[in-house]
Amino acid sequence: MEAYIHEALFVLFQLCFIVQLYYLLSNHSRLTRYVPNEVLPGPTVPVSVIISARNEARNLTENLPYILQQNYPDYEVVVINDCSTDESDMILLEIKQEFPHLKIVTIAEHARYKTGKKFALTLGIKAAKNEHLLFTDADCKPATLNWITRMAAGFTGSTQIVLGYSPYTRTSNFLNPFIRFETLKTAINYLSAALTGNAYMGIGRNLAYTKTLFFGAKGFASHMHVLSGDDDLFVNQNATADNTTIEIHPDTFTYTDAKTTLGGWFRQKKRHMGVGKLYKNNHRRALSFDALSGFLFYVLFILCLVFKFEPLLAIGAMVFRLILQLIVYRKVFKRLSCGDLIWSLPFLDMIYYMYLNVFGLIGTFIKTTRWK
């Protein structure tokens, strides 16, 4: 009986190995072959940059002036001051004196009715004068002054959604490598999916879409009851093979600081938990299959070594997968500002798949009632 169990587990290990190779070669390799346009395009369409900010006085002081100095001739910046209790209102008024293309939308705290980010963004979109909208957060800073230029250039033909990338700044904090790796792997997944014509999410720190698409889809109405999802759920419900593109030129990255404590990081991830269960069925199945097969691949590999059933074949499969990962990911990691993480790939990848499954289960039972 024990021999049959060992054989069954090894067969399952091989199946997980094959599934992981499929995702790597069929999906992720597309991003390796993708080459961003190096030529700086000219101005294309008027743009409204939308930023929802709650108690972001320090970040507004540091980052907003840089966004207001972008090398783009026709744009406005709409900041929604969402029930802030710090000095955000005064700072915004001071900045507006220097930059008249800043538009301020203020939401006052209601004693009985609590609003979230989706409500704030909806008001900002309504206040925006332009058709083409570009979103980021108050704690994000574009890599260059050409951020708007390159993101706006994505609006060609039938394109209504432009997916960008927002890495975390590299620091020496012990959590930083994994937080950056998790963000990188998430980006590889959603950017690769978009290249296959099957876009399923975007991130609100660097995302663009049209006002027509937003109101045509009735905004966030279908998931207004969910705290998160202003970015990924909106893209999941409205992206098609014809209306979505990506932009990953380094000029377009929007950098932000990662959390430095486990508590802060957990609270941040808690806001995102559970949203995946509202994705379209095919997206949910594909993501779950990847997460589960990756987790079982590592668990079964360890079992193969501990109980000594076909250990050499298991090590061979692990080494083969690692070599393919290095081949596929080397350029992608460097291109997405995470080249230093390639040497920690085996360890970080294992932790990543454990994280996906554990936090996926937690997200099924946890409900968050605050977005900040």
Side-chain angles (χ1 to χ4, degrees), residues 159-175:
T159 300
Q160 293 180 291
I161 300 175
V162 182
L163 306 179
Y165 171 60
S166 180
Y168 284 103
T169 306
R170 181 182 179 182
T171 70
S172 59
N173 181 267
F174 77 104
L175 282 175

Side-chain angles (χ1 to χ4, degrees), residues 190-206:
Y190 76 75
L191 293 170
S192 298
L195 290 176
T196 67
N198 194 28
Y200 69 89
M201 68 162 284
I203 52 167
R205 300 194 304 273
N206 200 1

Side-chain angles (χ1 to χ4, degrees), residues 93-285:
L93 290 174
E94 291 176 1
I95 295 175
K96 184 173 176 60
Q97 292 180 359
E98 183 178 357
F99 301 99
H101 55 297
L102 169 62
K103 181 180 294 183
I104 304 169
V105 177
T106 301
I107 302 176
E109 186 75 61
H110 194 282
R112 297 177 60 185
Y113 180 67
K114 303 299 181 182
T115 62
K117 187 177 182 181
K118 292 175 184 176
F119 178 76
L121 289 175
T122 300
L123 293 187
I125 292 169
K126 289 181 177 180
K129 68 178 182 179
N130 296 316
E131 163 70 5
H132 297 86
L133 313 172
L134 177 55
F135 298 84
T136 190
D137 288 339
D139 60 355
C140 294
K141 184 176 183 180
T144 71
L145 295 175
N146 295 322
W147 170 55
I148 295 179
T149 300
R150 290 192 179 275
M151 289 296 289
F155 287 113
T156 59
S158 61
T159 300
Q160 293 180 291
I161 300 175
V162 182
L163 306 179
Y165 171 60
S166 180
Y168 284 103
T169 306
R170 181 182 179 182
T171 70
S172 59
N173 181 267
F174 77 104
L175 282 175
N176 188 262
F178 178 72
I179 292 176
R180 291 171 59 224
F181 184 83
E182 187 267 336
T183 301
L184 172 67
K185 281 281 287 187
T186 300
I188 290 174
N189 283 329
Y190 76 75
L191 293 170
S192 298
L195 290 176
T196 67
N198 194 28
Y200 69 89
M201 68 162 284
I203 52 167
R205 300 194 304 273
N206 200 1
L207 171 67
Y209 51 79
T210 64
K211 186 183 287 191
T212 297
L213 179 67
F214 180 80
F215 287 113
K218 297 182 180 179
F220 307 123
S222 63
H223 50 87
M224 187 64 81
H225 62 288
V226 182
L227 182 68
S228 298
D230 56 276
D231 45 12
D232 56 346
L233 282 181
F234 181 82
V235 172
N236 189 265
Q237 294 180 357
N238 296 288
T240 68
D242 298 323
N243 76 351
T244 304
T245 189
I246 72 171
E247 178 51 70
I248 57 170
H249 191 282
D251 283 356
T252 66
F253 296 172
T254 56
Y255 285 88
T256 187
D257 294 332
K259 299 297 182 181
T260 57
T261 65
L262 282 171
W265 177 68
F266 180 78
R267 286 190 294 273
Q268 181 188 54
K269 300 310 294 185
K270 189 168 66 172
R271 294 198 301 269
H272 305 152
M273 293 175 189
V275 175
K277 62 188 177 184
L278 298 177
Y279 285 3
K280 293 178 181 176
N281 289 336
N282 60 319
H283 297 146
R284 190 171 64 251
R285 284 193 296 266

Side-chain angles (χ1 to χ4, degrees), residues 2-18:
E2 184 177 348
Y4 286 117
I5 294 175
H6 286 181
E7 184 176 346
L9 290 177
F10 187 71
V11 170
L12 181 58
F13 171 74
Q14 292 175 302
L15 290 175
C16 292
F17 170 70
I18 293 171

Side-chain angles (χ1 to χ4, degrees), residues 44-56:
T44 51
V45 294
V47 173
S48 292
V49 177
I50 311 287
I51 302 172
S52 179
R54 177 175 291 185
N55 294 326
E56 297 279 9

